[in-house]
Amino acid sequence: MRQPELWRAHRRLCETYGDVVHLSMFGEHFIVLGSQQAIFDLLDKQSAATSDRPQNPLIKLCGQGFNFGLYPYGQWWRRHRRVFSQYIPLTVPEEQLLIQHEYATLFLRKLLTDPVALCDHIRYVFSATIVKIMYGVQVANDGDPSVALIIRTLDGLKALLSGQMLVQYLPILRHVPMWVPVLGTQLRQLAEWRAAADEVKQVLFSKTQDDLVQGRENTSVLGRSLQELDEKKGDVNLAEEHLVAMNTCITAFEGAAETTFSTIQGFFLAMSLNRDVQKKAQVELDSVVGPHRLPEYRDRASLPYVDAVLKESLRWHNVAPFGLLHCAGEDVEYRGYFIPKGTTFMSNVWACMHDPEVYANPDRFLPDRFIRDGKLDPEVRDPSDFVFGFGRRICPGRAFAEAQMFDIIAMVLHVFEITPPLDEHGHPIDIEPRVGGTFLLYPEDCRCTLKPRSAQAEALFSGKRSS
Ligand code: HEM
């Protein structure tokens, strides 16, 4: 579990022992799933029995007790998921697309004025969009203290997904006194994350509630949800429903923030390393969208190559190599094996996304693999069927995520040239694509140089006129 590049280690394991491998650690059972067949058979087809999540005291210790993505399978999880799907449906509503587009345009402006702070701007665009949609709160800019506060809630989640916290494996360690070296520091850190998460959850909730009390318009997810609950207040347990709404909104923020941030970091890296891909996408954008406007999400069907760039971004830099862990909520039988209730499934999504039998040269960024006769080829394995997870726990924000990432990718390619970063003498720096992390991966270095493609392209978003 603590091997570097665990996804490669698991692939080697499956090459030796087959695509369903049992591991045991501290008395816990783990099943490594190494093929599309095994993953779909267990997590999709037997979803009623395999949609539980492994429970662990670390979830609450690091302040993530509100995150319904980590809840056990059951009624309480179902209530949250229902609220989420009611307000973030799979057909993304027009008003949400508009907010995504508005923030994406702001993102272009930020890239123009301060291209070196690329990662801060990526962080900003995804965090600010989801906060606006969920709470109706306008996050002013990258330096806004509320962004820093919100981002602190993610530290607890990231620690949980890093697999590096000792209490995760030996829960008894949580009773160790704070002065014990290493462990004490980890426990203190956990307490800070808990406090940050509680504060953010409460602060954002109160801001929306305050708008409603003061009679200010707030059409956000939380705003509408609170108003609808208010109308039904005699018939429902209002405190409980408020808690569900509060948890759902902050979970949406957490689900959205890191995954999209890391995918788009990977996209910028891929573009600076693959100028030919960029050129092809730009030829398509120039002919379909033209020089007088920015692309929008509704152009997606007419931009198959740009769509292929999104698919390849999701595949090449596979953010969550094991998705989120599932666990057997009851005993399961598969290929004659008995899998007891409580067993954790580790599906090697990364191996499916880097299978050379399916994707030739899997380490290369080649959107053309998805194209046949100028259209998306339905015969090629679609990364979206893997990277968003499986069965009843499949990512409910996948349509929202794809819409926002497509919009950003199309807009960036339409107006910017992306090239490798330069050293102090103006020479290009060679970036070796590497990732860090275990359950959530980030490119180690995605520096690049960004320049508007032309004065006309710049005028589309900067407010300046082209001469
Ligand atoms: C690149 C973008 C994204 C990727 C790769 C991604 C991936 C995933 C994966 C792998 C899971 C676990 C699925 C499983 O258990 O099988 C998940 C769950 C979840 N995601 Fe996403 N996600 C993305 C964006 C988003 C966005 C934008 C939102 C919110 C708007 C979101 C909200 C959630 C929630 C709430 C869950 C928990 C679902 C549950 O346990 O029932 N995700 N996501």
Side-chain angles (χ1 to χ4, degrees):
M1 290 299 275
R2 292 171 73 88
Q3 288 211 33
E5 302 203 324
L6 190 61
W7 49 95
R8 284 188 203 273
H10 278 192
R11 176 157 79 176
R12 287 194 294 275
L13 207 62
C14 290
E15 279 163 2
T16 311
Y17 299 105
D19 59 349
V20 181
V21 176
H22 172 241
L23 300 176
S24 159
M25 188 170 63
F26 298 126
E28 304 272 329
H29 297 290
F30 290 84
I31 302 279
V32 174
L33 302 174
S35 70
Q36 163 179 11
Q37 180 80 48
I39 295 174
F40 282 7
D41 282 350
L42 275 159
L43 303 190
D44 260 344
K45 292 197 194 133
Q46 301 216 47
S47 171
T50 58
S51 291
D52 212 353
R53 292 271 192 238
Q55 294 304 301
N56 182 312
L58 188 60
I59 296 175
K60 287 214 171 95
L61 283 175
C62 64
Q64 293 297 312
F66 60 76
N67 189 324
F68 80 82
L70 306 171
Y71 284 176
Y73 183 65
Q75 271 313 320
W76 190 231
W77 161 76
R78 206 167 280 118
R79 274 174 70 179
H80 288 75
R81 179 133 181 155
R82 208 177 290 134
V83 171
F84 184 101
S85 305
Q86 181 186 344
Y87 294 102
I88 309 281
L90 289 178
T91 306
V92 185
E94 193 57 35
E95 63 272 18
Q96 292 181 5
L97 291 175
L98 281 173
I99 296 176
Q100 289 184 341
H101 192 72
E102 191 186 307
Y103 277 92
T105 313
L106 188 57
F107 175 62
L108 299 182
R109 282 193 214 119
K110 284 175 182 287
L111 292 180
L112 183 69
T113 45
D114 185 9
V116 176
L118 170 66
C119 290
D120 291 341
H121 303 325
I122 304 178
R123 161 80 68 213
Y124 170 81
V125 66
F126 289 110
S127 305
T129 308
I130 193 81
V131 166
K132 175 77 184 168
I133 289 173
M134 300 313 287
Y135 298 95
V137 171
Q138 188 91 28
V139 178
N141 55 49
D142 314 16
D144 190 315
S146 59
V147 176
L149 181 69
I150 292 168
I151 286 168
R152 267 174 39 217
T153 62
L154 296 171
D155 289 338
L157 181 67
K158 283 196 274 185
L160 185 67
L161 297 178
S162 73
Q164 302 297 316
M165 302 295 282
L166 295 170
V167 245
Q168 187 164 356
Y169 305 108
L170 283 175
I172 187 85
L173 295 179
R174 70 185 184 280
H175 302 300
V176 161
M178 294 283 189
W179 49 261
V180 173
V182 184
L183 265 173
T185 316
Q186 286 197 352
L187 293 176
R188 257 195 310 278
Q189 187 67 76
L190 288 171
E192 279 173 30
W193 290 327
R194 265 197 315 277
D198 282 346
E199 188 181 347
V200 170
K201 200 171 63 172
Q202 200 55 56
V203 165
L204 289 171
F205 185 83
S206 305
K207 278 194 179 180
T208 312
Q209 214 173 25
D210 202 42
D211 275 351
L212 301 182
V213 172
Q214 303 295 330
R216 287 190 292 266
E217 190 184 27
N218 187 321
T219 55
S220 66
V221 167
L222 186 61
R224 279 184 292 141
S225 160
L226 292 182
Q227 275 165 306
E228 282 164 25
L229 286 172
D230 199 45
E231 282 156 24
K232 300 193 257 186
K233 68 179 161 219
D235 312 325
V236 292
N237 177 339
L238 212 52
E240 205 171 274
E241 295 296 340
H242 279 187
L243 183 62
V244 172
M246 185 197 267
N247 291 342
T248 304
C249 291
I250 192 82
T251 305
F253 168 75
E254 290 205 340
E258 288 304 299
T259 45
T260 41
F261 169 65
S262 176
T263 305
I264 293 301
Q265 279 187 315
F267 155 76
F268 276 97
L269 173 61
M271 289 304 103
S272 79
L273 296 174
N274 297 279
R275 294 293 305 285
D276 51 329
V277 168
Q278 209 180 132
K279 287 269 158 286
K280 267 187 152 172
Q282 287 167 340
V283 167
E284 183 178 77
L285 284 157
D286 291 347
S287 91
V288 173
V289 177
H292 304 299
R293 67 172 179 95
L294 288 169
E296 293 170 17
Y297 183 65
R298 66 181 158 85
D299 297 313
R300 186 173 180 178
S302 337
L303 294 169
Y305 195 80
V306 178
D307 209 354
V309 171
L310 168 62
K311 288 189 190 300
E312 186 68 341
S313 303
L314 289 166
R315 184 200 71 81
W316 183 69
H317 174 58
N318 180 191
V319 181
F322 302 103
L324 269 185
L325 302 184
H326 285 226
C327 147
E330 51 191 81
D331 295 343
V332 179
E333 200 191 314
Y334 182 53
R335 295 189 196 159
Y337 297 121
F338 171 71
I339 301 175
K341 177 178 173 173
T343 301
T344 297
F345 296 102
M346 294 189 73
S347 45
N348 197 341
V349 172
W350 178 88
C352 298
M353 293 295 90
H354 289 80
D355 180 348
E357 304 274 309
V358 180
Y359 303 112
N361 297 316
D363 293 332
R364 291 192 53 203
F365 190 92
L366 299 171
D368 287 89
R369 59 174 98 249
F370 296 104
I371 301 285
R372 197 176 57 190
D373 302 331
K375 294 198 193 100
L376 285 175
D377 182 352
E379 300 293 310
V380 182
R381 178 181 285 181
D382 187 344
S384 299
D385 293 339
F386 290 78
V387 300
F388 291 112
F390 310 97
R392 298 182 187 185
R393 298 307 283 246
I394 190 171
C395 173
R398 59 197 184 281
F400 182 97
E402 286 205 21
Q404 189 172 20
M405 290 189 295
F406 179 87
D407 204 30
I408 286 185
I409 287 176
M411 286 166 83
V412 166
L413 289 174
H414 197 54
V415 299
F416 282 109
E417 289 296 349
I418 308 165
T419 48
L422 302 176
D423 64 17
E424 64 273 31
H425 307 294
H427 301 133
I429 302 171
D430 274 337
I431 304 263
E432 181 73 28
R434 280 206 208 95
V435 291
T438 304
F439 290 98
L440 210 52
L441 306 186
Y442 301 88
E444 276 185 357
D445 190 350
C446 66
R447 280 172 302 160
C448 53
T449 306
L450 291 165
K451 287 211 183 81
R453 287 179 66 201
S454 63
Q456 197 179 13
E458 186 179 327
L460 291 177
F461 64 93
S462 63
K464 289 187 216 150
R465 285 204 197 167
S466 66
S467 49

